[in-house]
């Protein structure tokens, strides 16, 4: 028997319970992983609250990201072996001391990257990678706006954009977070609690606006994000921390400059084994080189996941947070 966080009915943070569960031996194509660290991500709150339905219904164990040591493998598994340090994103179920994982979702953690860093960077880091390299190919000529710049994805994206040489504008919700964003690659930072971010983007860019806007906030930044784009610009809506956009009007894109809009998810970009390895290796490369530093700013015991979710949704966290079994 091992311990895990279980959700029997969706709702607020207090629906998560610390319980004993039993897991079996790995089947064909599976590996058993003993977690050493587990990543905390805003998407975890979507599944816990019911905004995103858990694929297998309730009860379920939340969490999409983890790192640990392989303890056993099932039939047909050849690319990982017992004793390997591994990390993964998806499927649901990482808030556990141990678990079974489809082995084709595991990547071996290279030397020079510790387990907590790996656990906290896989979802956020690979998200930053696909946003900047695949959804829109950012170059030194790119001017971009990134909402929630002091969040986990935002801090990684700011450093990565600086490495590329792009002009990165970030929005934050406090003076402290503004300083954090500036220290992590953002050329300009806007405090949306004291400034109108659309007006400031116009000032910063001398009216030229942005090539791409990365928006994980949702309701509170729509439709303002569209007004920050130059003609033929791209609005990338990849989250909804302030609530979902329920009345998206496709007709706005035309008069605002024949804009493009997309709602991507990481799991599409890493669906194949080849894409997963390419994305993970690119992320490991920039972290090992020091171009991107993963800041694990908060740690909670796994059994204290309720407090971790309360702090995450209360905007009390910055950068990366991990849960430790």
């Amino acid at each position: 028997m091992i311990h895990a966080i279980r959700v029997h009915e969706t709702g607020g943070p207090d629906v998560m319970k610390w319980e004993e569960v039993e897991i079996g031996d790995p089947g064909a194509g599976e590996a058993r992983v003993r977690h050493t660290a587990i990543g905390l991500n805003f998407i975890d709150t979507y599944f816990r609250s019911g905004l995103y339905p858990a694929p297998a219904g309730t009860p379920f164990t939340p969490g999409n990201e983890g790192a640990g040591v392989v303890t056993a493998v099932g039939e047909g598994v050849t690319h990982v072996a017992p004793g390997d340090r591994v990390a993964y994103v998806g499927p649901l179920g990482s808030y556990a001391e141990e678990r079974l994982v489809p082995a084709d979702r595991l990547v071996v953690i290279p030397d020079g990257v510790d387990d907590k860093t790996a656990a906290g960077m896989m979802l956020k880091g690979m998200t930053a990678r696909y946003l900047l390299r695949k959804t829109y190919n950012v170059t030194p000529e790119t001017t971009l706006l990134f909402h929630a710049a002091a969040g986990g994805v935002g801090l990684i994206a700011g450093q990565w954009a600086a490495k590329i040489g792009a002009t990165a504008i970030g929005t934050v919700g406090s003076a402290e977070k503004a300083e954090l964003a500036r220290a992590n690659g953002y050329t300009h930072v806007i405090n949306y609690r004291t400034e109108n971010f659309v007006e400031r983007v116009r000032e910063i860019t001398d009216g030229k606006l942005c090539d791409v806007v990365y928006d994980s906030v949702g309701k509170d930044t729509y439709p303002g994000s569209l007004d920050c784009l130059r003609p033929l610009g791209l609005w990338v809506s990849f989250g909804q921390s302030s609530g979902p956009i329920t009345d998206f009007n496709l007709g706005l894109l035309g008069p605002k400059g024949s804009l493009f809009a997309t709602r991507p998810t990481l799991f599409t970009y890493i669906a194949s084994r080849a894409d997963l390895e390419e994305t993970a290796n690119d992320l490991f490369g920039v972290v090992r080189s020091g171009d991107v530093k993963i800041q694990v700013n908060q740690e909670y015991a796994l059994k204290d996941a309720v407090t971790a979710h309360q702090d995450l949704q209360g905007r009390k966290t910055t950068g990366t947070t991990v849960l430790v079994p």
Side-chain angles (χ1 to χ4, degrees), residues 78-323:
T78 58
H79 66 276
V80 295
D84 284 346
R85 291 193 310 129
V86 294
Y88 67 89
V89 172
L92 209 62
S94 67
Y95 284 21
E97 293 174 324
E98 297 185 44
R99 70 170 299 190
L100 301 178
V101 184
D104 72 344
R105 296 292 88 193
L106 297 173
V107 294
V108 176
I109 303 170
D111 292 341
V113 178
D114 65 74
D115 288 11
K116 289 179 182 177
T117 298
M121 80 178 189
M122 295 303 292
L123 192 150
K124 290 179 280 291
M126 291 200 293
T127 295
R129 193 269 182 181
Y130 88 73
L131 291 173
L132 300 179
R133 294 321 239 166
K134 293 293 186 178
T135 305
Y136 186 96
N137 186 30
V138 172
T139 70
E141 290 72 43
T142 301
T143 298
L144 64 90
L145 175 65
F146 208 103
H147 288 299
V153 178
L155 293 180
I156 296 171
Q159 295 175 72
W160 211 320
K163 173 184 179 293
I164 295 169
T167 300
I169 306 169
T171 67
V172 297
S174 70
E176 293 78 14
K177 289 184 177 182
E179 288 303 312
L180 189 59
R182 289 189 187 94
N184 282 272
Y186 286 92
T187 318
H188 307 277
V189 181
I190 301 166
N191 185 338
Y192 61 79
R193 296 191 188 279
T194 59
E195 302 173 284
N196 182 302
F197 72 84
V198 177
E199 293 177 359
R200 284 290 293 128
V201 165
R202 290 186 179 279
E203 293 171 2
I204 290 166
T205 63
D206 293 325
K208 296 178 182 178
L209 304 179
C210 299
D211 299 291
V212 57
V213 172
Y214 296 107
D215 190 342
S216 65
V217 175
K219 183 176 67 174
D220 289 354
T221 49
Y222 176 82
S225 289
L226 302 181
D227 295 322
C228 296
L229 287 165
R230 64 186 56 175
L232 306 182
L234 174 64
W235 177 53
V236 183
S237 173
F238 70 101
Q240 48 201 24
S241 61
S242 70
I245 298 168
T246 58
D247 57 349
F248 175 64
N249 180 1
L250 190 65
L252 288 176
L253 301 180
K256 288 184 180 293
S258 298
L259 304 177
F260 294 86
T262 184
R263 182 60 170 86
T265 67
L266 170 64
F267 301 105
T268 306
Y269 282 85
I270 60 170
S272 74
R273 179 69 193 178
D275 286 339
L276 171 61
E277 289 181 347
E278 177 187 323
T279 303
N281 288 339
D282 203 6
L283 173 60
F284 285 138
V286 295
V287 170
R288 294 178 74 190
S289 71
D291 290 322
V292 172
K293 295 179 173 60
I294 308 299
Q295 302 173 24
V296 180
N297 292 339
Q298 296 85 208
E299 291 185 23
Y300 298 82
L302 175 58
K303 64 182 178 61
D304 295 329
V306 169
T307 301
H309 275 227
Q310 290 170 338
D311 289 350
L312 178 65
Q313 292 190 277
R315 300 183 184 276
K316 296 179 181 178
T317 65
T318 60
T320 296
T321 303
V322 296
L323 307 174

